[in-house]
């Protein structure tokens, strides 16, 4: 007998079906609510609202669990590389060696962008934020790759997926090169996904560039832990835009814009800026913890807190460990890492953070490790987007293929003026 939730309203009694997910998530199905009662629900920020069912990622915020297609994030970060995890998220299973080789070869051999797209970079200001460039150029892919736009055509979709995975690192690296006035470095097909990105970012035509395997491994891990996170703000945006049957490039461009905000993916950039401010202010972490507790200050600890995690973000643990390893391996003594660790220590022992269950999230340590890799701060959220791309694609695909796919169009509670007569302009005082 399926579970029901009973709703009584006025003289009405309504049995609402309860859906139970594979990990025991219970959800009240309100799809008939308005038709049967005239009621809608209201849930600012969708704190309690499930937008859809999904088989891609499971996270348990209370216990700090994160799994992609059932595999724990810790195992994936330790044993896989980023393209392998991208395949898992998009196609729903870990690839065989042969499948991965075919997938990898397709991605690595399509990393160049249309030469006319390069001229786009000539028209943006040199100090343009790279997220502005990333969103614009990805949106422009709808203009340059018109043979892969139809969301209902499986071949178009497959080509668009491979083009996005292959070209986003190139588009990202070019936005960095533009900002430093250096020549763009063409991708090289014989390099690994992350090695190619590092070379396009840091090589110049003047000398050979040595790709450090430690950097490649760290970048692979960072992209893997950023790859998906169920119905977060930017992924929900990709689903929302895709629900209108907009093409994949347009949907991903919208996701990039949503990720940019400092409350979401932009927090990694904001967090390092906060750590630098604390360092410049004598490293007085307690002062900033106290400010974060004072609502009037308007200050928040960036990289802290999470809508779902009310425990330590498992990704932050992985990144922190990698941070430690890389910094000691490279013999880098980054004072920001010490400030971050001290800030964490003070905050996690403070009743305000304990009561509100505020822990470091994925953005807290990621900036420190990006710095160790030589990534400039304005590129931090771009790297988040590079990592999140396969997750966005997987959700867009799942939504397009769902039998229950519908245009996303929430309702509202209207609180504006009731009907009133219009006063002609010449009679208004
Ligand atoms: C990401 O959704 C995802 O999965 C996102 C992400 C992904 O992988 O896609 O995990 C990536 O976006 C991580 C989050 C990055 N953002 C930041 O680090 C920005 C700082 N954190 C916050 O602003 C905040 O924690 C949010 C936005 C992340 C979550 O906010 P919620 O769920 O809307 O909660 P809230 O703002 O209502 O905060 C609840 C309480 C409030 O106090 P009260 O009004 O109840 O008294 O906690 C306080 C907040 O003031 N609070 C903080 C705080 N975060 C929440 N106080 C101080 N510092 C903070 N960082």
């Amino acid at each position: 007998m399926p579970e029901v939730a009973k709703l009584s309203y006025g003289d009405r009694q309504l049995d609402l079906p309860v859906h139970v997910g594979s990990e025991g998530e219970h959800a009240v199905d309100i799809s008939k609510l308005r038709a049967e009662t005239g009621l809608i629900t209201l849930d600012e920020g969708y704190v309690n609202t499930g937008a859809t069912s999904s088989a891609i990622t499971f996270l348990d915020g209370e216990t700090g669990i994160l799994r992609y297609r059932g595999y724990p994030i810790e195992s994936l970060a330790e044993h896989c590389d980023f393209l392998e995890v991208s395949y898992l998220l998009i196609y729903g299973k870990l690839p065989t060696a042969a499948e991965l080789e075919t997938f990898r070869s397709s991605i690595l051999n399509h990393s160049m962008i249309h030469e006319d797209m390069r001229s786009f970079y000539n028209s943006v200001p040199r100090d343009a934020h790279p997220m502005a460039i990333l969103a614009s150029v990805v949106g422009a892919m709808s203009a340059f790759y018109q043979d892969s736009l139809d969301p209902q055509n499986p071949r178009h979709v497959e080509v668009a997926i491979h083009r996005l995975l292959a070209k986003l690192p190139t588009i990202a690296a070019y936005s960095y090169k533009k900002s430093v006035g250096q020549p763009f470095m063409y991708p090289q097909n014989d390099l690994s996904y992350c090695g190619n990105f590092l070379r396009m970012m840091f090589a110049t035509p003047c000398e050979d560039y040595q790709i450090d395997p430690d950097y490649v491994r760290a970048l692979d891990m960072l992209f893997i832990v950023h790859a998906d996170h169920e119905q977060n703000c930017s992924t929900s945006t990709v689903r929302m835009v895709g629900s209108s049957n907009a093409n994949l490039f347009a949907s991903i461009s919208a996701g990039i814009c949503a990720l940019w905000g400092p409350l979401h993916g932009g927090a990694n950039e904001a967090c390092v800026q906060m750590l630098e401010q604390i360092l410049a202010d004598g490293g007085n972490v307690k002062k900033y913890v106290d400010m974060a507790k004072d609502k009037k200050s308007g200050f928040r600890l960036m990289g802290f807190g999470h809508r779902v995690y009310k425990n330590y973000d498992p990704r932050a643990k992985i990144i922190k460990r990698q941070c430690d390893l890389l910094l000691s391996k490279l013999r880098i003594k980054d004072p920001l890492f010490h400030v971050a660790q001290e800030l964490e220590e003070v905050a996690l022992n403070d009743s305000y953070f304990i009561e509100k269950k505020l822990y470091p999230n994925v953005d807290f340590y990621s900036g420190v490790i990006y710095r160790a890799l030589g990534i400039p701060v304005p590129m931090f959220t771009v790297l988040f987007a590079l990592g999140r791309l396969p997750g966005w694609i997987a959700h867009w695909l799942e939504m397009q293929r769902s039998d229950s796919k519908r245009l996303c169009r929430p309702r509202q509670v209207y609180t504006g003026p009731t009907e009133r007569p219009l006063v002609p302009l010449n009679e208004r005082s």
Side-chain angles (χ1 to χ4, degrees), residues 34-204:
R34 189 169 187 274
E36 302 200 4
T37 67
L39 289 171
I40 65 168
T41 57
L42 186 61
D43 184 20
E44 291 290 344
Y46 309 118
V47 178
N48 307 284
T49 298
T52 186
S53 305
S54 176
I56 298 169
T57 290
F58 170 70
L59 60 94
D60 181 324
E62 277 63 41
T63 55
I65 289 174
L66 173 60
R67 299 190 200 119
Y68 297 161
R69 302 284 190 183
Y71 297 99
I73 189 67
E74 296 79 5
S75 309
L76 294 168
E78 189 178 342
H79 301 294
C80 298
D81 74 16
F82 177 59
L83 285 183
E84 197 176 350
V85 172
S86 300
Y87 188 102
L88 169 67
L89 286 167
I90 294 168
Y91 301 106
K93 72 177 197 68
L94 282 170
T96 62
E99 287 165 335
L100 181 56
E101 193 37 48
T102 307
F103 181 68
R104 192 190 309 280
S105 166
S106 167
I107 302 301
L108 295 182
N109 284 280
H110 290 88
S111 48
M112 277 202 302
I113 61 173
H114 192 293
E115 279 296 294
D116 290 352
M117 285 177 87
R118 281 170 49 112
S119 58
F120 167 84
Y121 289 82
N122 300 331
S123 57
V124 288
R126 198 167 62 79
D127 59 352
H129 195 289
M131 284 296 278
I133 298 176
L134 201 72
S136 311
V137 180
V138 170
M141 288 178 80
S142 313
F144 283 92
Y145 301 110
Q146 300 183 39
D147 60 344
S148 58
L149 297 182
D150 180 358
Q152 311 305 319
N153 180 323
R155 180 65 191 148
H156 280 212
V157 170
E158 187 70 0
V159 169
I161 289 171
H162 284 229
R163 278 173 168 158
L164 275 164
L165 287 168
K167 301 177 193 305
L168 202 65
T170 309
I171 294 167
Y174 284 6
S175 65
Y176 170 63
K177 283 303 198 189
K178 163 78 185 182
S179 71
V180 291
Q182 287 183 1
F184 294 1
M185 299 302 290
Y186 281 103
Q188 282 191 343
N189 295 350
D190 59 345
L191 296 178
S192 70
Y193 193 80
C194 291
N196 212 359
F197 175 67
L198 287 168
R199 184 182 166 281
M200 288 190 284
M201 280 284 290
F202 299 120
T204 67

Side-chain angles (χ1 to χ4, degrees), residues 229 232-233 262-265 267 292 295 300-307 315 352-353 356 358 361-363 384 388:
H229 215 237
N232 60 83
C233 176
L263 291 186
H264 187 20
K295 286 272 176 298
R300 285 196 164 186
L301 289 189
M302 302 316 280
F304 247 83
H306 199 276
R307 173 63 59 78
R315 302 168 297 176
Y352 173 93
F353 289 84
K356 293 182 187 300
L358 303 173
N361 60 49
V362 69
D363 295 310
F384 193 144
R388 185 51 52 90

